[in-house]
């Protein structure tokens, strides 16, 4: 692909955003929508600049990233670990599957009061709700990935004398990796949603807190700044997860039609 | 060198039929076979007669339902680490490069990284794939994949090689080239080979002896000696002795194929169209 083709592709993709930003700027400026409810993007950017210079942005961002990454990482480690075990031992899976389906349908938000009851209003309950939201897609996709592993690959490793540990780490895990990553990407999206909810209840920092708090004190531009930043965090998280996925499943590049 | 003795081997599976009722499938019954140390033995039989089942029992992957199986006089327990298996279908790990695939057996045995690489390279050369080590399995042809699978089971130097229709998915030409190469490797490395196949020609060309199986429940119907001289070159396929042996083997096999539910596999027919291919393969062998 030539540079001009790339540029025109980039232009095409940013065109929608540009038009949207322009509309957003014009609506409050023209008075069609009250500026008290909708701040134009120029003011929102100004609010972000203020947040940067006062150091508040860093504080909120750090709090949000810490919570979401802690919850997500915990979910990945336990979800993949448990998923490998459950996918590997069919009986166990048959036993707990109905329970899993029930838990999966139990909204993380509905459980938040329970988490507060158990873990208090502090960081732990926030990490817990994010963990809960991210855990299920990872667990379920890991189980289904493990169940789909080609029997032949396992037999061929076994015939060479592979131990159980070798089978799990070097055969089942990489074979299930594509399915696991599907779950992890989904978990990334759930994790941000849960983050916002957690930070809107009894928090003193974080982008979710910033958003709600700004609304309460009529700092409308900084409320929109919070929303925008949350969206950016979501995008960034998704991009990072996609990058990790690409690195880990590099071998599949030639197998996919789009590569 | 190891020898294998199967006595009155029996294998049954329980599976569900359409209405969900448990159904017993007897895959092997009264299965007696002796594999001599260092020989090339083919097991020939119609589809579904239990060839792969026998191989999984032999490899220690499946638990026999009855009878006895001795390897070097000892009852086989668990995986036999002195056997290498080449599966029906290549069973390569798609996330590993060719070289990494060949290394697996050594990795399992705890061989260090540098030595692993070196030995894998050596076997990559042996199967004529030097230069393809960094490719992934989906980036090479079927014939190449099969060579990788063979190199992978040779690299940790098993005494016995169990091969389950390794060449069945290949075109006639590639197949004959690989048959020639397998004989060359076998001659050089002195293994015992148990080779499963559907194909009369393949069995005769490769083997010292051919064990012909009945339809399911499978047992050994007859053992045919193949007294053809070695080294065997592709031209041998046209010789009178070869054609004679094929007729004889077909006599033994044909009733079983008729009994088996599956249609007659194409490879057992004696199509004249195959001959030019073999002549071509012969020329290539003579050159290489
Ligand atoms: N795990 C299993 N569960 C139930 N039945 C099985 C199982 N494995 C094999 N069988 C049955 O046992 C019989 C023998 O199967 P096997 O795979 O050994 O045949 P085969 O001779 O290798 O056939 P082919 O030449 O087509 O590979 C078949 O009828 C098959 O349906
Ligand atoms: Mg088979």
């Amino acid at each position: 692909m030539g540079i001009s083709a790339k540029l025109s592709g980039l232009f095409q993709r940013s065109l929608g955003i540009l038009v949207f930003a322009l509309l957003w700027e014009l609506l409050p400026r023209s008075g069609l929508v009250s500026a008290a409810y909708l701040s134009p993007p120029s003011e929102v950017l100004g609010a972000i600049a203020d947040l940067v210079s006062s150091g508040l942005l860093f504080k909120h961002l750090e709090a949000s990233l810490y919570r979401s990454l802690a919850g997500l990482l915990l979910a990945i480690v336990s979800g993949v670990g448990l998923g490998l075990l459950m996918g590997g031992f069919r009986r166990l899976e048959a036993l707990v599957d109905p329970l899993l389906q029930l838990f999966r349908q139990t909204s993380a938000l509905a459980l938040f009061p329970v988490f507060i009851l158990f873990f208090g209003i502090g960081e732990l309950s926030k990490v817990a709700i994010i963990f809960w939201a991210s855990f299920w897609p990872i667990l379920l996709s890991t189980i289904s990935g493990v169940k789909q592993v080609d029997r032949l690959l396992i037999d061929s490793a076994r015939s060479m004398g592979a131990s159980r540990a070798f089978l799990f780490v070097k055969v089942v895990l990489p074979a299930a990796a594509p399915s696991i990553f599907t779950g992890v990407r989904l978990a990334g999206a759930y994790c941000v949603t849960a983050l916002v909810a957690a930070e809107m209840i009894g928090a003193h920092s974080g982008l979710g807190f910033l958003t709600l708090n700004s609304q309460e004190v009529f700092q409308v531009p900084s409320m929109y700044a919070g929303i925008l930043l949350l969206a950016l965090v979501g995008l960034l998280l998704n991009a990072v997860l996609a990058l990790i996925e690409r690195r880990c499943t590099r071998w599949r590049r030639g197998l996919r039609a789009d590569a | 060198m190891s020898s294998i003795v199967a006595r009155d081997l029996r294998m049954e599976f329980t599976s569900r039929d359409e209405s969900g009722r448990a159904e017993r499938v007897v895959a092997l019954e009264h299965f007696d076979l002796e594999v001599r140390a260092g020989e090339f033995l083919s097991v020939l039989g119609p589809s579904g007669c239990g060839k792969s089942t026998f191989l999984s029992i032999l490899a220690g992957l499946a638990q026999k339902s009855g009878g006895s199986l001795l390897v070097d006089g000892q009852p086989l327990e668990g995986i036999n680490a002195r056997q290498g298996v080449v599966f029906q279908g290549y069973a390569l790990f798609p996330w590993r490069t060719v070289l990494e695939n060949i290394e697996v057996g050594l990795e399992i045995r705890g061989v260090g990284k540098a030595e692993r690489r070196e030995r894998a390279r050596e076997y990559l050369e042996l199967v004529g794939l030097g230069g393809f080590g960094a490719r992934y399995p989906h980036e090479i042809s079927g014939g190449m994949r099969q060579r990788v699978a063979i190199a992978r089971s040779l690299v940790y130097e098993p005494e016995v090689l169990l091969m389950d229709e390794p060449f069945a998915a290949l075109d006639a030409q590639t197949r004959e080239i690989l048959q020639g190469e397998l004989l060359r490797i076998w001659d050089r490395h002195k293994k015992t080979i148990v080779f499963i196949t559907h194909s009369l020609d393949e069995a005769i060309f490769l083997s010292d002896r051919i064990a012909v199986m009945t339809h399911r429940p499978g047992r050994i119907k007859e053992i045919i000696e193949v007294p053809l001289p070695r080294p065997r070159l592709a031209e041998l396929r046209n010789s009178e002795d070869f054609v004679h042996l094929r007729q004889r083997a077909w006599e033994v096999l044909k009733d079983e194929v008729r009994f088996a539910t599956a249609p007659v596999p194409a490879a057992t027919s004696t199509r004249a169209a195959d001959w030019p291919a073999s002549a071509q393969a012969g020329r290539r062998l003579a050159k290489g």
Side-chain angles (χ1 to χ4, degrees), chain A residues 4 8 29 45 47 73 129 137 161 164 175 177 180-181 204 217 223 244 257:
Chain A
S4 65
S8 90
R29 290 227 179 271
L45 288 180
L73 283 179
I129 185 181
R164 258 214 130 83
I180 292 174
F181 274 111
H204 299 289
V217 300
M223 177 187 85
I244 297 174

Side-chain angles (χ1 to χ4, degrees), chain B residues 13-15 25 27 46-53 88 165 198 216:
Chain B
F13 296 102
T14 325
S15 59
V25 177
S47 190
C49 73
K51 303 183 292 296
S52 297
T53 303
Q88 190 169 8
E165 305 195 42
H198 266 115
R216 186 166 64 84

